[in-house]
Amino acid sequence: MTLPTPYAEEVLDIVARIPAGRVLAYGDVARLLDRGGPRSVGLVMSRWGGGVPWWRVVRADGTPAGCHAGQALRRLRAERTPLSVDGSRVDMATARWDGRWPARS
DNA sequence: CTCTTGACGCCGG
DNA sequence: TCCGGCGCCAAGA
């Protein structure tokens, strides 16, 4: 297991800040960093995503990525992330994080 | 420097 | 809605 590259550190930092109950698409992370692309982010998550809330990063259409789909859906549901009616994907329209901290009461 | 590899995104059909 | 195809970008060989 090689150490995270500087770019990877930036990606992981963003992911670590996603509030519970909200999500980001791979492409969103890249745009917030204003660097790289969706695939680069995916590559980082596959190698070093284990230390951050990886289930809060999903595809642009709201479906969790790859082999962890089942696990991800479980966790998302557990933290009350808005899901589609059939529960198979995240409701991106309401769950997408804008990069700002949640409004507190 | 070139080529390949992905937990991706978008645009048709 | 569900595919297929092409573009995308960091990393490593």
Side-chain angles (χ1 to χ4, degrees):
Chain A
M1 183 84 171
T2 57
L3 275 66
T5 62
Y7 175 72
E9 294 281 11
E10 295 185 69
V11 170
L12 296 175
D13 184 64
I14 292 286
V15 176
R17 295 179 192 231
I18 305 175
R22 309 298 298 281
V23 300
L24 279 183
Y26 292 87
D28 292 338
V29 178
R31 278 191 293 274
L32 285 174
L33 287 176
D34 195 48
R35 192 175 169 192
R39 312 207 56 173
S40 306
V41 174
L43 184 55
V44 171
M45 291 304 289
S46 71
R47 299 188 61 177
W48 302 288
V52 295
W54 51 265
W55 58 91
R56 293 175 192 156
V57 183
V58 300
R59 290 182 181 149
D61 66 358
T63 61
C67 45
H68 304 92
Q71 282 291 319
L73 252 10
R74 244 193 65 119
R75 287 174 175 280
L76 290 168
R77 189 197 285 281
E79 58 185 47
R80 316 174 126 238
T81 305
L83 299 181
S84 62
V85 184
D86 63 7
S88 68
R89 59 175 53 176
V90 174
D91 178 3
M92 296 305 282
T94 61
R96 194 192 304 263
W97 184 43
D98 56 14
R100 292 174 224 165
W101 294 103
R104 56 199 91 120
S105 53

